[in-house]
Amino acid sequence: MEYPTTVEDAVALLAKHGDRAMFLAGGTDLLPNMKHGLFEPEVVIGLGAIEDMKGIRKDKDGSLHIGAMTSLTEVARSQLITEAAPALAQAASVVAGPQIRNMGTLGGNVMLDTRCQWYNQSHFWRKSLGYCLKKDGTVCHVIEGGKKCVAAASNDTAPALMTLAAELHFLSPSGEVALPIEELWKADGTWNKNVGPDALLVSVHLPALSGPHGGAYLKLRERNAIDFPQLGIAARLGFAEDGSIFEAAVAATALGPRPILLQSTTKLLAGTTPGESNFEEALLELCAKAHKQLSPLANIPGDETYRKRMVPIFLKRALVLAAQP
Amino acid sequence: MAARDLHGPDAPWGDFGVVGQRNRKVDGMDKATGCAIYADDIQLPGMLYAKTLRSPHAHALIRSIDTAKAEALPGVYAVLVGDELPIPYGVIPWTQDEHVLAVEKVRFIGDEVAAVAAVDEDTANAALELIEVEYKPLRAFFDAEEALSNPEPAIHTSKKDVGNLSKHVRLEFGEVDAAAQSADILIDEEYSFHSTTHAAIEPHCAVAQCSPDGKLTLWSSTQITHYVHRALSRVLELEPEKIRVIQPYLGGAFGGKSDPFSLEFIVSALARKTGRPVKLLWTREEVFYAHRGRHAMKMKYRTSAQADGRITSVDANILIDGGSYSSFGLVTTYYSGQLLTGPYDFPSYRFDSTRVFTNKPPCGPKRGHGSVQPRFAFESQLDEVATKLGIDPIEIRRKNFQGDFTKTVNAQRITSNGFLACLDSVERGSDWKNKHGQLPLGRGLGVAGSMYISGTNYPVYPNEMPQAGIQLQVDRSGIVTVFTGANDIGQGSNTMIATVVAEELGLDIRNIRVISADTDLCPVDLGAYSSRITFMVGNACIDAARKLRTQIVGAVASEWDVDARRVSMMGGKVFDLEDSQRVIPSRDAFQIAEAQLETLGATGSYNTPTLGGDYRGGTIGASPAYSFTAHVADVSVDTETGRITCNKVWIAHDCGRALNPMLVEGQMEGSAYMGVAEALMEDHHMNRFGLHAGPSLLDYRIPTSCDTPELESIIVESIDPEGPYGAKEAGEGPLHPAIPAIANAVYDAVGIRLRHLPFTPGKVLEALDAKC
Amino acid sequence: MRAYRLEVNGDKIEIAAPEHWTLLEVLRYKLGLTGTKQGCDKGDCGACTVLVDGEPELACLLLPGAVEGKKILTIEGLAPAHRCRGGEGADPIQESFDEAGALQCGFCQPGVMLSARALLNREPHPSCEQIADSLSGNLCRCTGYKQIYDAVEAAADKEAELKTQGAD
């Protein structure tokens, strides 16, 4: 266990220990995974003592800076965020349960390992199964004969951040990197990120938005607390002065390995006005499109056919909520 | 002589002083402050830690086990394998088919194969990895029908002649087919109930210590100390007088800690082997493998009725998936039929129940053992009869009410029966008359009823001794200590005991101490199962305390030189009913009596009267008294998402007399909550490999505070003639109606009949699609 | 083994424990504070809830090194802290849970009571919804939560009354 106090020290420590080490944010995902034998780091680099990675502030240009080690509770309760990025506040407020939100961080949720019913199990269980593609095995149990791991991105905050065009600031041994959040993900469930495990997510930036905006995050889960998403849909709408929509963004999580930002949503919704029939029509079209494009897999608990059926319904509901600024 | 129904339901001294009060629990403050010691809180000097190796195969022969490397690992003190403990056990004497550790074969993924005691858990786990087991996998059965139609390979080879059949019961009362043929309406449907598990928050844990002179002490999270004591003696081949079993504070059970479990034998055997204390705490995952939860059942029900709604026959065919061992399965098979015959009058009834072995974790008794599943099917079907005949669902239940002090079609004796008052209460509480059938689409109310046993007259091993025993010890300080073998598993039986003794002796309940569930100290009680403790132990308490009261009253009367009828005890005082000036504290009365007589104490006991029908199996399900329950559930159904939200449940329960209404309400609410959870969320499911789909409290979803409906308890007191002060059970009955009440409410809300549990949103949508 | 400096229930403690042990194991098996319960050991049930700087967290997912320098409160510390403030009996939360019958098996309740304590510290007059939300990470298998809600509401009333009396 190491507890560095600066981001530079943290990154240097990880570089020093290499593959044997891992960063530990809130620990609410890493610790269960370690207990399951999914990760066996010899050195854990705790980030809790790095004060620079905590807190939420508004910069001069109106953008929001959120330290990656800011707790999900703080993100959910922050007035700055509930006003400027309601979808993010809502997403943070429905992660797991209260204790985990107190411990868990925004950075940790963004960098969350993918999940799968054949993977997030004990060593005994996985051994009895004969392991799987993501860890220790060669077979995928989700897609028969599958050669690529399709464990699900299960982070609630990811789609919300995608609709907000968040920029992620990493520090790695090779220097600082700023990455638009859509570019973080790749479709590989074993490691679904385009940065290496040696890159430390330091902060999340939300660019200032012009004009009034509405946002919402809706989560499909069996219980109203504790559960990971079986589907998560975030929506954001930007309004012109006349109340019509001028921009729109929709993203979803808990499908396959990547959270997905739906394309051409602005094209479909721009110019329509909530409460008017043009909005209703565009909404229907968008929902139909989403239903085609967003396909949950049989990776996490929850019947995938049902989850797919919920895509247009959750999308419609999220957009209706987002349309109430 | 074992006493029964000698006391009557009233207080001979007039008004009750303690009974009926909402007193705090006798152990509440221990629990509130973290002082209560549960099994895993026990730390003994030099204690070793045990872990068990489990089978990765669902069905396999064990070719060989090599423990040499594990034994050689530094820090390992002993390794145990099945051959060392070859005597089988099982809670029902006729179906002892379990071994502490597998002998010759394994029967489900998670079946136990070997155990290790080491200096710490890490070393024990490391040693398990070094044990080499060679298996020869066999064809495994995960489906009851498949197992039944394939006698080979038999999961239990000793049962070769019957293949994978575990138990079959067929009983018929009256002319079922004739009644069905002449009925005005006949409803014939299939229902299925999935498996669910107890998920007590405390995982099972046992600690054993063996003294050099061979005396074994076991602390275990068991709900039946006495049966563990007997099983230990048998399997370890150790005289019972050398074994002491203690149940410390217990973190919930719900039936899941009723069987003798492997870990109890393992720690005992390892403690004997090593001469050191040994603890074994199961992981949450291991608790799911131990299971003994609700049996999955496939049920066919055919109910016939007259046009006026009167039932004429019920015909049930039930296939029970037992999992890999018998456990209580013999009883389950009977209960699946025997316990349906109230609160309604069945003129004729037949059931045919078949329990089958499969290669899954063994099923057993879960709250409402054996009868929750048939109750769901029947109460759903009764609702359908009502709908088809255009009769209000509450009215049809009234119409078929069996009455009190009667006999059921299967010859069970019914005493007090407050079911009509239960129906009235939930009808009024839910504003049924203005709401049922009248709420907007997507909102509905549903009703269901049930009955349950207050203990059974049949101990699992036949004997003539009392089913419940009590000893009282009186201290000069004014304290009375009660010794009872009964297991307080959180339901509050120790508080019930203190309530009865305090009532009888006119003491403040805080001056009663209860020492329970310690086989060295306490008279035998059969433990916390079949909702027996309040009825049986409560009666034994009255029996003991009333003898003591007579002694004390007599001594004080003699001291005062008055007639004993003038002396009474209440509120911590003993007084002269005819001279208000003459009052002494109970403490002084105890001292007077002790001086006059001898060291004070008393014993009491209870046995059931002879009960049950005069046919094979007729005593199974025979209870000295039955509780009755009615629920109304209020649900919302989201027709787009298929999600059912249970908004509220009104729970009316006839518990005879509520000895402590606060505890009764706690049982009613906890039961209803558990029923709602089984209807909507929980699923103890094995995947296609026979692996538990999610052996964790993350994936086995028990409701959080945000998922639990509003619960309103309405206590109905029918005052049973034989219960202690008229009391009956409250801990299991109120679970039953929740599930069919929700199913019936969904029908009211959106017009679909859900016949297959659990009611997932996917199934709701499917049914809605089919309706359109 | 690794040495830790912890502040538990107001006591500053130095303790050594195996490096992979969580705070839960240190509390239970090193410090003998067995009131903090283990229900799942994986962050799913809330039985091991303790207060870290006043907020509910899960001891089974905390490495002790991560809470050095922070104030840890376990169920054993609740009544003594109340007495230190001049109170009588146990903490009003504990008294109310006992009075309302919320303690059935009692196994999950140390965690529930600490979550409730944190709620009342933040929000002295919580709504039903706030109570349900705040306790949604603490699974209880016995009560159906009703008597727990009653207890939390009663504790809030009791504390409001104590405050009024204090103001007199």
Side-chain angles (χ1 to χ4, degrees):
Chain A
M1 282 296 304
E2 302 273 4
Y3 293 98
T5 54
T6 67
V7 286
E8 291 77 14
D9 286 354
V11 171
L13 272 167
L14 195 105
K16 185 180 121 192
H17 295 292
D19 289 350
R20 301 189 299 120
M22 288 183 81
F23 291 126
L24 174 89
T28 58
D29 192 50
L30 184 58
L31 260 91
N33 286 350
M34 285 167 65
K35 291 179 190 207
H36 279 161
L38 299 171
F39 295 105
E40 292 160 297
E42 289 166 43
V43 181
V44 174
I45 299 165
L47 304 172
I50 307 175
E51 291 304 319
D52 281 354
M53 285 179 70
K54 292 175 191 168
I56 301 163
R57 65 164 195 265
K58 195 170 190 171
D59 287 336
K60 275 180 204 151
D61 62 354
S63 67
L64 287 184
H65 166 107
I66 312 168
M69 285 296 288
T70 307
S71 77
L72 290 162
T73 300
E74 197 180 334
V75 171
R77 287 188 195 152
S78 156
Q79 203 183 338
L80 284 174
I81 293 178
T82 48
E83 281 171 7
L88 176 61
Q90 288 167 30
S93 76
V94 295
V95 174
Q99 299 96 321
I100 284 186
R101 291 194 293 274
N102 287 337
M103 304 163 73
T105 64
L106 181 63
N109 194 253
V110 170
M111 299 302 284
L112 190 77
D113 188 24
T114 56
R115 299 185 62 82
C116 184
Q117 57 178 317
W118 307 101
Y119 166 74
N120 293 94
Q121 304 283 1
S122 72
H123 183 252
F124 166 76
W125 195 101
R126 290 181 295 113
K127 190 178 167 192
S128 302
L129 173 72
Y131 303 106
C132 81
L133 208 56
K134 184 161 158 73
K135 172 80 181 161
D136 302 324
T138 54
V139 185
C140 178
H141 304 283
V142 178
I143 296 169
E144 217 174 317
K147 292 280 175 271
K148 211 168 185 189
C149 171
V150 291
S154 300
N155 22 23
D156 288 299
T157 60
L161 289 169
M162 288 165 87
T163 63
L164 292 157
E167 189 176 83
L168 308 177
H169 288 208
F170 288 93
L171 183 68
S172 73
S174 49
E176 287 183 36
V177 182
L179 199 66
I181 188 165
E182 305 91 276
E183 291 174 27
L184 178 65
W185 319 105
K186 58 176 178 176
D188 179 356
T190 36
W191 180 260
N192 68 342
K193 296 161 194 83
N194 285 313
V195 298
D198 60 345
L200 174 64
L201 176 60
V202 179
S203 60
V204 175
H205 293 258
L206 303 182
L209 303 168
S210 54
H213 280 260
Y217 175 72
L218 284 184
K219 175 176 184 170
L220 173 66
R221 50 179 172 177
E222 286 184 32
R223 293 184 291 189
N224 291 311
I226 301 184
D227 292 357
F228 281 95
Q230 295 185 344
L231 175 70
I233 291 190
R236 183 177 65 81
L237 296 173
F239 300 100
E241 272 179 25
D242 65 356
S244 68
I245 293 164
F246 81 89
E247 62 172 346
V250 167
T253 192
L255 308 162
R258 289 186 300 149
I260 289 175
L261 185 71
L262 210 62
Q263 298 305 308
S264 347
T265 44
T266 295
K267 211 169 94 189
L268 268 171
L269 287 172
T272 70
T273 306
E276 291 179 13
S277 63
N278 57 8
F279 177 72
E280 303 294 327
E281 286 157 21
L283 196 65
L284 280 178
E285 200 178 328
L286 185 59
C287 288
K289 188 178 153 193
H291 193 212
K292 273 191 198 132
Q293 285 185 9
L294 305 178
S295 289
L297 302 171
N299 40 18
I300 47 178
D303 173 54
E304 70 278 11
T305 319
Y306 175 73
R307 282 159 59 212
K308 185 165 177 70
R309 185 168 176 170
M310 289 305 104
V311 166
I313 289 158
F314 274 62
L315 175 55
K316 182 185 70 186
R317 292 182 179 188
L319 280 165
V320 167
L321 283 175
Q324 301 163 348
Chain B
M1 188 195 84
R4 64 170 186 84
D5 61 4
L6 300 173
H7 314 298
D10 300 315
W13 39 91
D15 295 337
F16 286 113
V18 185
V19 163
Q21 301 294 309
R22 293 175 174 267
N23 279 311
R24 292 182 180 210
K25 292 177 77 172
V26 291
D27 50 9
M29 199 41 79
D30 272 4
K31 289 174 175 172
T33 52
C35 300
I37 299 295
Y38 298 74
D40 184 43
D41 302 338
I42 294 168
Q43 290 275 82
L44 299 175
M47 192 165 77
L48 301 176
Y49 297 82
K51 282 280 159 194
T52 45
L53 182 71
R54 290 171 181 272
S55 165
H57 298 285
H59 198 188
L61 295 174
I62 297 174
R63 284 232 166 105
S64 65
I65 304 179
D66 185 349
T67 61
K69 284 182 194 154
E71 280 169 71
L73 186 72
V76 170
Y77 282 78
V79 179
L80 194 68
V81 294
D83 291 344
E84 295 172 71
L85 295 167
I87 299 175
Y89 65 93
V91 69
I92 305 293
W94 298 276
T95 57
Q96 301 201 329
D97 56 10
E98 299 181 53
H99 283 96
V100 176
L101 295 162
V103 173
E104 289 172 11
K105 70 186 297 195
V106 289
R107 296 178 175 86
F108 70 100
I109 297 177
D111 213 354
E112 288 155 280
V113 175
V116 170
V119 66
D120 54 35
E121 282 198 348
D122 292 336
T123 309
N125 280 323
L128 295 183
E129 297 285 323
L130 298 174
I131 298 175
E132 290 163 10
V133 187
E134 202 189 327
Y135 296 99
K136 184 192 172 201
L138 300 170
R139 177 180 175 187
F141 300 109
F142 307 129
D143 176 76
E145 274 158 344
E146 192 192 340
L148 189 63
S149 55
N150 288 279
E152 295 288 339
I155 293 166
H156 289 274
T157 42
S158 61
K159 300 205 168 212
K160 220 161 199 164
D161 51 330
V162 290
N164 287 311
L165 178 71
S166 160
K167 178 76 192 170
H168 175 245
V169 177
R170 181 186 170 90
L171 288 170
E172 181 163 357
F173 309 95
E175 299 293 324
V176 172
D177 291 326
Q181 271 163 22
S182 60
D184 295 321
I185 183 174
L186 196 69
I187 300 202
D188 199 343
E189 287 292 347
E190 293 185 14
Y191 303 84
S192 61
F193 204 111
H194 60 313
S195 186
T196 65
T197 201
H198 319 83
I201 307 295
E202 178 201 29
H204 301 54
C205 180
V207 181
Q209 186 168 37
C210 192
S211 64
D213 61 358
K215 184 151 197 258
L216 177 75
T217 304
L218 174 77
W219 292 263
S220 178
S221 56
T222 177
Q223 59 189 100
I224 311 183
T225 329
H226 179 57
Y227 294 163
V228 170
H229 189 194
R230 285 172 54 86
L232 273 183
S233 170
R234 206 180 113 83
V235 173
L236 299 178
E237 299 180 87
L238 187 63
E239 298 87 338
E241 67 269 26
K242 287 190 175 157
I243 301 171
R244 177 180 185 185
V245 181
I246 302 169
Q247 175 235 310
Y249 275 103
L250 191 85
F254 317 109
K257 294 168 180 170
S258 311
D259 293 69
F261 282 101
S262 60
L263 82 172
E264 293 161 328
F265 305 97
I266 289 171
V267 291
S268 300
L270 288 171
R272 290 179 82 194
K273 251 186 162 179
T274 60
R276 290 173 62 163
V278 179
K279 177 191 278 186
L280 205 172
L281 167 67
W282 273 345
T283 63
R284 175 53 58 183
E285 182 177 356
E286 289 178 295
V287 174
F288 280 98
Y289 299 142
H291 189 40
R292 317 290 162 145
R294 181 114 42 236
H295 290 73
M297 292 190 191
K298 286 187 177 169
M299 302 170 282
K300 286 182 189 159
Y301 272 80
R302 190 189 66 185
T303 300
S304 64
Q306 295 168 190
D308 67 355
R310 286 282 315 206
I311 299 164
T312 59
S313 76
V314 176
D315 185 10
N317 204 296
I318 303 173
L319 182 65
I320 305 171
D321 185 345
S324 49
Y325 293 96
S326 287
S327 180
F328 282 82
L330 182 151
V331 178
T332 317
T333 313
Y334 274 104
Y335 277 9
S336 70
Q338 289 286 67
L339 298 186
L340 194 69
T341 54
Y344 317 112
D345 178 36
F346 290 5
S348 67
Y349 177 48
R350 176 170 65 212
F351 70 92
D352 187 309
S353 294
T354 306
R355 187 180 189 267
V356 184
F357 291 117
T358 54
N359 293 108
K360 296 191 281 193
C363 298
K366 184 184 168 191
R367 200 174 205 170
H369 179 195
S371 65
V372 169
Q373 306 93 319
R375 182 60 60 182
F376 154 65
F378 177 73
E379 292 285 332
S380 300
Q381 192 149 73
L382 186 57
D383 216 66
E384 224 165 318
V385 173
T387 312
K388 293 247 161 84
L389 293 174
I391 301 172
D392 178 272
I394 289 183
E395 211 42 57
I396 201 168
R397 287 170 168 84
R398 285 198 184 102
K399 205 165 254 187
N400 285 291
F401 177 59
Q402 66 190 164
D404 55 4
F405 301 98
T406 183
K407 261 207 160 70
T408 65
V409 68
N410 54 339
Q412 306 303 352
R413 184 193 75 166
I414 300 289
T415 52
S416 70
N417 188 340
F419 182 62
L420 285 184
C422 292
L423 282 176
D424 293 347
S425 302
V426 293
E427 183 181 56
R428 212 167 31 242
S430 65
D431 196 14
W432 176 272
K433 284 180 179 157
N434 293 313
K435 288 189 173 156
H436 178 258
Q438 298 157 61
L439 292 166
L441 179 75
R443 189 91 187 241
L445 295 185
V447 67
S450 71
M451 74 163 190
Y452 202 66
I453 52 177
S454 304
T456 150
N457 76 325
Y458 195 68
V460 304
Y461 69 99
N463 71 82
E464 298 298 315
M465 293 175 281
Q467 283 159 290
I470 283 286
Q471 283 195 345
L472 301 178
Q473 172 189 285
V474 179
D475 189 77
R476 292 174 193 177
S477 66
I479 280 170
V480 172
T481 305
V482 192
F483 296 87
T484 170
N487 299 73
D488 193 322
I489 60 176
Q491 87 282 43
S493 61
N494 282 355
T495 305
M496 181 282 296
I497 287 165
T499 301
V500 173
V501 174
E503 178 66 48
E504 286 288 321
L505 298 178
L507 292 173
D508 184 325
I509 191 170
R510 284 171 296 191
N511 289 340
I512 308 291
R513 305 282 184 268
V514 183
I515 307 289
S516 64
D518 179 331
T519 59
D520 259 17
L521 303 181
C522 306
V524 165
D525 181 77
L526 299 184
Y529 70 101
S530 75
S531 273
R532 53 176 294 286
I533 293 184
T534 292
F535 199 96
M536 299 199 186
V537 181
N539 268 324
C541 285
I542 295 178
D543 186 39
R546 208 160 282 183
K547 290 176 199 164
L548 193 58
R549 184 185 174 103
T550 307
Q551 283 188 309
I552 294 164
V553 163
V556 172
S558 152
E559 175 86 5
W560 290 346
D561 197 18
V562 299
D563 188 291
R565 279 169 294 190
R566 278 175 58 178
V567 178
S568 192
M569 306 169 82
M570 179 84 70
K573 293 185 170 59
V574 177
F575 47 90
D576 184 342
L577 288 165
E578 291 172 22
D579 178 358
S580 60
Q581 297 302 303
R582 194 138 67 185
V583 183
I584 57 172
S586 302
R587 179 194 302 123
D588 294 1
F590 291 175
Q591 293 179 8
I592 288 167
E594 193 178 338
Q596 270 187 35
L597 304 165
E598 56 181 345
T599 299
L600 296 175
T603 63
S605 54
Y606 176 80
N607 242 343
T608 51
T610 303
L611 294 168
D614 186 19
Y615 53 88
R616 188 180 166 85
T619 56
I620 303 184
S623 175
Y626 295 86
S627 76
F628 297 91
T629 315
H631 285 187
V632 165
D634 168 351
V635 306
S636 298
V637 181
D638 184 325
T639 52
E640 275 189 332
T641 64
R643 188 167 169 136
I644 300 168
T645 304
C646 184
N647 304 305
K648 182 163 181 177
V649 183
W650 289 266
I651 315 150
H653 180 69
D654 166 21
C655 65
R657 189 193 299 278
L659 301 181
N660 179 329
M662 183 176 83
L663 299 195
V664 171
E665 285 163 4
Q667 290 305 303
M668 291 165 66
E669 289 152 13
S671 291
Y673 141 94
M674 204 172 260
V676 172
E678 293 189 48
L680 300 179
M681 288 185 174
E682 297 175 17
D683 191 359
H684 188 79
H685 177 67
M686 302 305 124
N687 64 26
R688 61 184 188 262
F689 302 102
L691 267 161
H692 194 296
S696 67
L697 292 177
L698 180 64
D699 291 327
Y700 185 84
R701 296 182 179 83
I702 70 175
T704 73
S705 49
C706 294
D707 305 300
T708 305
E710 191 186 334
L711 302 168
E712 187 173 323
S713 302
I714 308 160
I715 293 175
V716 170
E717 296 186 302
S718 68
I719 314 299
D720 191 78
E722 293 184 21
Y725 309 122
K728 303 189 287 191
E729 80 90 35
E732 302 191 73
L735 189 153
H736 296 70
I739 300 162
I742 288 173
N744 297 340
V746 168
Y747 179 77
D748 188 42
V750 292
I752 55 170
R753 288 278 173 206
L754 297 175
R755 301 190 183 95
H756 303 281
L757 283 158
F759 304 146
T760 61
K763 285 182 195 163
V764 171
L765 290 181
E766 208 175 290
L768 286 170
D769 291 349
K771 193 184 153 221
C772 288
Chain C
M1 295 292 270
R2 186 186 164 104
Y4 300 103
R5 286 178 186 193
L6 301 174
E7 187 179 331
V8 183
N9 300 332
D11 298 341
K12 291 193 164 70
I13 294 160
E14 280 189 53
I15 190 95
E19 191 140 24
H20 64 280
W21 275 26
T22 60
L23 179 64
L24 176 62
E25 289 157 305
V26 170
L27 290 172
R28 288 182 54 78
Y29 307 126
K30 283 286 174 187
L31 300 177
L33 294 169
T34 54
T36 307
K37 299 302 183 198
Q38 189 212 94
C40 72
D41 200 31
K42 285 196 297 226
D44 302 330
C45 76
C48 66
T49 301
V50 296
L51 299 190
V52 178
D53 285 343
E55 291 301 326
E57 298 195 5
L58 301 174
C60 78
L61 299 184
L62 281 170
L63 291 172
V67 289
E68 284 183 308
K70 297 184 178 184
K71 290 182 166 57
I72 298 159
L73 184 76
T74 73
I75 192 66
E76 290 91 345
L78 202 51
H82 172 72
R83 300 295 274 260
C84 277
R85 291 189 298 267
E88 286 173 16
D91 187 281
I93 290 270
Q94 294 168 307
E95 295 285 350
S96 297
F97 269 64
D98 192 12
E99 277 167 358
L103 301 149
Q104 284 196 27
C105 83
F107 197 81
C108 72
Q109 301 292 10
V112 177
M113 287 185 281
L114 288 169
S115 286
R117 182 66 271 161
L119 168 67
L120 292 191
N121 289 348
R122 192 175 68 241
E123 176 54 64
H125 303 287
S127 65
C128 293
E129 201 180 12
Q130 282 174 315
I131 298 172
D133 282 345
S134 299
L135 303 181
S136 63
N138 294 87
L139 296 175
C140 169
R141 196 58 165 161
C142 293
T143 59
Y145 302 102
K146 166 111 181 352
Q147 289 176 327
I148 293 177
Y149 297 157
D150 294 347
V152 176
E153 282 168 1
D157 291 346
K158 201 174 288 181
E159 291 190 338
E161 198 178 306
L162 285 173
K163 228 174 240 170
T164 320
Q165 283 169 3
D168 295 342

